[in-house]
Each structure stands twice: as C-alpha cells, then as structure tokens.
Amino acid sequence: MPDTLDDTAVAGRLRDLPAWSRDGNQIRRRVKAPSFPAGIDVVTDVARAAEDADHHPDIDIRWRTLTFALSTHSAGGLTAKDFDLAATIDRIAARHGAE
C-alpha cells in the first residue's frame, strides 16, 4: 500500500500542478474541452492511462466541463499515485486542446 503524503509534501506536489487544488483527502481539477466529443476523448484517454496505472479518478462530465478527483482510497489519503496521474491528466487535456 502506498504511503500517504503529509501536508507539506502535498503542498509541494501541488506547486507542480497549478490547475489542481486540494479538497480534503483528494485533489481536484476542472477541465473545459473545446467540444463535447473532445471532452469524451479526454475521458477515454484518461481511462486508458488510469487502467495502465491501476489508479482510477472520479470523473464528472457536464457537457464540455470535466471534473477529475483523485485520492488513494486504500491508503486513506493522498499518495504519489494521485499526483502522478494528475500530471498525466494534465498532459492528456493539453493534447486535446482542453483548458
């Protein structure tokens, strides 16, 4: 089981991910895709990356707006896995022209 990060480590990791914010024991990011189909493409690519990482975000889809939430439930908090997948989500969103 991965180790949870303390508040200092979480703050440090968030500095590298400015689009993400902490919400209790999770980190969240809202992404606006250029179109609904582009948003679904983002979700599809995130789903593939999540499967590869064996770490799965909560995803809310509202037309072109996608909200991603990450937490390592098995560890009871935030771990490096959350921040690694967050960085991957950022790259995927950018590749699809989402902001």
Side-chain angles (χ1 to χ4, degrees), residues 9-97:
V10 168
R13 296 291 301 259
L14 282 173
R15 279 193 289 279
D16 296 331
L17 298 166
W20 292 80
S21 61
R22 185 174 188 174
D23 182 11
N25 280 339
Q26 57 182 263
I27 55 173
R28 302 174 69 79
R29 177 180 181 192
R30 184 168 286 148
V31 172
K32 184 160 265 186
S35 67
F36 181 72
I40 297 305
D41 290 342
V42 170
V43 170
T44 299
D45 288 354
V46 168
R48 287 188 182 109
E51 279 294 299
D52 290 345
D54 192 28
H55 192 59
H56 304 91
D58 293 333
I59 304 171
D60 181 66
I61 304 168
R62 308 286 171 144
W63 185 40
R64 299 180 332 161
T65 302
L66 314 170
T67 303
F68 297 95
L70 291 163
S71 182
T72 305
H73 301 289
S74 61
L78 292 163
T79 68
K81 291 180 82 166
D82 301 304
F83 293 92
D84 294 345
L85 187 54
T88 299
I89 291 169
D90 284 353
R91 288 190 297 274
I92 291 168
R95 192 170 62 234
H96 288 280

